[in-house]
Amino acid sequence: MSEIVAGQPHHTRPGWVGTAVQRLLSALPVTIPLLFIALFFIIPLGMILVYSISDSELSRVMPRTAALLETWDGGPPSDELDRVAATEIRTAFKERDLARVATRVNRDAPGTYSLLMRTGRALATARDENSIRLTSADPRWSDPKYLQAMKSAVGPLTSRYLLATVDVRRSEDGTLVIAPVGERLYLTFLVRTLWISIAVTVICTVLGYILAYSMNRVNPRCASVMLFLVLVPFWISLLVRTSAWVLMLRQDGIINQTLQKLAIITEPLALIYNRFGLYVAMVHILLPFVVLPIFNTMKTIPRSQTQAAETLGARPIAAFLQVYLPQTMPGVVSGMLLTFILATGFYVTPALIGGSGDQMLSHLVQQSAFTEANWGMASSTAILLLLAVIAVVLGFRLIMPKSWLAPISRGQ
């Protein structure tokens, strides 16, 4: 048996508790980012997807009615269906759950909301149990279209919302039909959103490249001042910046008043509630997201490269286009992608500065969620926007040279 020498440390293996703690501590650098991604990206996207295909409101509130409607042939309601539906409508009205069902059914058959609420109110005050019938509460229930609308809302899953986001409807015989040209709301908003985002991205890229190039060419003190001015908008709320543009662009705003005092114009210019004002405000807000990546890339390019190209006989423009510009493209591409992705989700700026024909797809998300309380449609619209942005970004990356997508190293 080994003896422990006095004054010397005695090393023992840690127990299972110590081993577990050590493994937990070693896994923290990986676990924390994974938890962050799961909590703020994977779970919200999963919930949006579930809402876009979920249609369980009627089945949850009126389960027996939903079961009978699944086997209903579309003719006059049977006595059992009439009685069970009336009983569950009465119960749902008393428990204040009927409004949710009525809101859902009303999307397929306008006017059903008032019919259901009126029926629930009439049945709730009925004293005779034998009089609890749909047709006795309201004669409109004799028309099968209302029960047909309830049948279409049985769920629990539906493709209705996803189809509606691409302006496709399901006819009475179950076939898919695309909406007429004048009624293609969501595709119109999607095309408008992509067009505005691409236009803003191009304008920001041109202006941002010029600004970043100027910052890289001036002396360090001047560059610091210019960088400070670029960063100032990040410290101001988006709503405040948009409101400031409203004050500047309106007919009695600073710009129109200044131009009139200088006798440049006689009548105020239409600078707001149109596409021009929207472009101005969005470019001002998103410009720093292009300037910073480009400026950061330019700082890694030695000036000696263009000087060497000019020494070897290249003209300044040729040296810029063939030597300098290709090396700045990784920063340009990064700034363009970041700006485009942010532009597609704009809501506040188009709502305050744009006109009725300048609203973007985020406007439909807000309208579905908060005005109509239609979370399924709001989620489907968000998925449509997400897929469109992913498709544009992937397409952009496919057509770009790989050297423009990889970070450049100093001295290349």
Side-chain angles (χ1 to χ4, degrees), residues 328-338 396-397 400 404-405:
T328 61
M329 290 310 297
V332 174
V333 172
S334 300
M336 291 181 67
L337 291 178
L338 180 59
F396 184 80
R397 292 179 65 89
M400 289 293 104
W404 291 8
L405 302 176

Side-chain angles (χ1 to χ4, degrees), residues 333-354:
V333 172
S334 300
M336 291 181 67
L337 291 178
L338 180 59
T339 303
F340 174 78
I341 293 172
L342 293 175
T344 55
F346 262 52
Y347 166 72
V348 174
T349 305
L352 294 181
I353 294 181

Side-chain angles (χ1 to χ4, degrees), residues 22 27 44 52 74 98 145 150 176 181 200-201 218 245 261 274 305 323 348 368 375:
Q22 290 179 357
S52 66
L98 186 60
K145 73 175 184 180
M150 293 181 65
L176 300 179
V181 177
V200 169
T201 301
V218 297
W245 276 113
K261 289 180 179 179
N274 51 33
Q305 293 187 358
V323 177
V348 174
S368 298
W375 290 99

